[in-house]
Amino acid sequence: MTSEQFHSLLGELARVCGHADPEAFLVHRQLCIEGRQVVLEHNPRHGEDLLQVRMTVGDLPAGAAHLAGAMLDANFMGRGSCVLSLHPDADVVVATTLLRLSSTPTAQDLWQELQQMARACEAFWDSIATANA
């Protein structure tokens, strides 16, 4: 996917998801899905057909340093498919993954995949928080 194709896909995605400010979305590539902040980045160094997705997972509760161990376990067990980290400016857990795009991605397909990722992040975070409460 070229930069132009990525820009075009983002324009379509802004329309499909009803983004309030499509121009800002094209510049910052940030949107909110089911209450989660999502940043999309296409970098040919990762691969022409890969899209990096960073999505907030949840807030790290005060006094919950023990969850850091669970996050590291999840990173190790996931073997790099999705990496959990803490946002540098806040105690917010962020999942970062590379999403492989089809040769002709549609905005509707991407939107549905991002929504599925948001639901999976919610279920995952709930399971970690519950297991480590």
Side-chain angles (χ1 to χ4, degrees):
M1 171 179 290
T2 65
S3 305
E4 293 80 21
Q5 289 169 318
F6 177 63
H7 191 75
S8 176
L9 179 62
L10 288 182
E12 287 180 49
L13 182 62
R15 182 186 54 76
V16 166
C17 70
H19 199 281
D21 188 353
E23 286 303 313
F25 175 63
L26 291 174
V27 172
H28 302 289
R29 299 175 312 277
Q30 296 179 5
L31 61 140
C32 186
I33 302 174
E34 299 190 19
R36 303 188 183 296
Q37 294 300 314
V38 179
V39 177
L40 306 174
E41 180 182 333
H42 179 258
N43 185 334
R45 289 181 297 146
H46 296 139
E48 292 278 330
D49 63 338
L50 294 174
L51 178 64
Q52 184 182 61
V53 179
R54 286 190 308 274
M55 182 177 296
T56 58
V57 176
D59 294 329
L60 190 65
H66 63 285
L67 286 178
M71 288 171 45
L72 291 173
D73 285 345
N75 285 345
F76 180 76
M77 297 307 288
R79 293 187 173 88
S81 59
C82 182
V83 176
L84 297 173
S85 58
L86 285 176
H87 190 282
D89 296 329
D91 286 337
V92 175
V93 178
V94 177
T96 302
T97 191
L98 291 174
L99 176 64
R100 187 167 305 281
L101 299 171
S102 70
S103 59
T104 55
T106 68
Q108 184 64 42
D109 290 341
L110 178 56
W111 178 239
Q112 289 174 347
E113 188 143 6
L114 292 171
Q115 288 177 311
Q116 289 173 353
M117 288 175 71
R119 287 188 291 273
C121 280
E122 180 176 4
F124 174 74
W125 186 245
D126 288 347
S127 71
I128 284 182
T130 301
N132 292 281

